[in-house]
Amino acid sequence: MTPSDSPSPPRTWKKPPFIANPVIRYGIFIVAAIYLVWAFGSLPFNWARISEGLPRAARIFSGGFPPSLERYELLLTGFKESFQIAILATLLGVFLSIPFAVMAARNIAPMPIYVIGRAVIIISRSFHPVIVAILFVAAVGFGPLAGILTLTLYSIGFVGKLLAEEIEEIDWGQVEAMRAAGAGYIATLYYAVFPQILPRQVGLSMYQLDSNLRASAVVGIVGAGGIGGTLMNAFGRYDYDFAFAILLVIIAVILLSEGISGWVRKKIW
Amino acid sequence: MVDHAQQLADRVWHRYDRKERLIRYAVLLGTLMLVFWAVRDIDIFWPWVWDAPNQMSNLGARMWPPSAAGLSNILNALLETVHIATLATFLTIFLALPVAYIAAQNTTPNRVCLWLGRFILVSSRSVNTIIWALLFVAIFGPGVLAGILAIVFRSIGFIGKLMGEAIEEIDRRPVEAMEATGASKAKVVAYAIVPQVMPAFFAIVILRWDINIRESTVLGLVGAGGIGVILQGAIDTFAWPTVATILIAIIILVLIGEAITSLLRSKVL
């Protein structure tokens, strides 16, 4: 018998689908399609205004190029303030994140304290910094103070969460050794817990400084100080060449700070 | 004769040697100087700082109790927020994947494409969502389209970067096997690369969706749709009990988003 007249017809191989069950697979497609149509249909698009977009975009970009650094003093003041907000907020946030992280670590905090610590971290992470910023602007007025308070809260949420996870993963032997030697709670924290999380905390602080610098550029949009306010004003006054110059400098500063913080973290870890 | 035992007992244990200590002190001093400069130079009216706790408890008192009036408005705006986030995440997929493909070392067609891809990713990530929104509101006018585009432009960098890294980490052998059988480029992508990055893809998209829900809550502050619009309206009219309701609604939305995300992730990974 030659291969050509073998009884079975030539078989073709088919790629196994990612979701094996066909009902679920097609069900997901159909649900997704219905959702997309519904969501798209329910959103209030202002098509008349949108159709003016392209000529407007052309006007904005031709107005924006070349970017103008004529009012570089305003730019420098804005950046200096953003930088100061980021430094102070990082410092405050990182210090305050330590007690909240200790509270929110299941292995060293008693249950009621743990719940409080977690709640603080969850609430401060739920809100976008810009929302927090408008609340602080409403409470303490326009200016960098509102920005510092906002970013401090933001840092507590982020650093506190990661630090709490780090504390939950420490080597328990050192804590037991300290306790066996009769050390108190504070001494145990100071000598057995903190040394284990310190490198991580320094790395997180650098990351947070970088992240706060980014965020400090946007809290200004709602009046909480820094370069964002300058940017918002430039947009408001149709001063697009200055706005584009600010945007370019923001991108450059963020790339630089990302580079520096990445380098420092690589050195530490 | 020297008393060796005594000498050993007198030795003091140091955690760091001299050079390490000097570096530590230098870093500490540098940080202190930076903080000192920031505190001195920043434009803060200090009496406001001491008054801040008062002002904040005052604001908190004005917000309590949250008012249930206008709840259906708030729920509609929340739904709009979710739609913006979901549609934007969905649109981003189509734009981010080609960018990820050309920005990954092992799949990029040539060096020009590699650098073009990297440039798109970096510029997308350096500009905050709310700044993208500012730009798109200027172009397309206030409304949801500006919000969707802002989130799309910010998410391209995020999804593209992480997908690019996932593509760079694939196992080369299936690719080589396919190429050895003479498969076309499209088939190599479909059968050797896509199946390997599929789980990473879903995990990244789900993660970004969660982030986008948070981001879309603030778009309205610059006029780009979602719950931020009515939040801004409530703050501008000093309707503090309504503000409290909106904030609680945002927390619940974010927590639901996080729950859905972790459920989906546990199914995918």
Side-chain angles (χ1 to χ4, degrees), chain B residues 175-195:
Chain B
V175 178
E176 278 164 15
M178 295 273 308
E179 279 168 353
T181 62
S184 68
K185 193 89 191 160
K187 284 200 167 148
V188 171
V189 173
Y191 291 99
I193 298 177
V194 169

Side-chain angles (χ1 to χ4, degrees), chain A residues 7-84:
Chain A
S8 62
R11 289 186 307 159
T12 47
W13 178 82
K14 265 198 167 158
K15 189 171 82 159
F18 186 67
I19 302 166
N21 185 338
V23 178
I24 297 179
R25 196 180 341 139
Y26 291 112
I28 288 176
F29 282 139
I30 293 169
V31 170
I34 293 174
Y35 172 79
L36 288 176
V37 171
W38 171 55
F40 201 75
S42 74
L43 288 179
F45 290 102
N46 179 357
W47 292 112
R49 179 64 185 78
I50 291 167
S51 62
E52 294 166 23
L54 283 183
R56 244 169 207 276
R59 207 157 58 237
I60 288 174
F61 281 98
S62 65
F65 282 96
S68 137
L69 279 173
E70 224 168 272
R71 280 181 289 147
Y72 66 94
E73 277 173 8
L74 219 56
L75 188 115
L76 281 182
T77 327
F79 265 106
K80 197 179 73 179
E81 197 169 83
S82 274
F83 190 53
Q84 289 164 339

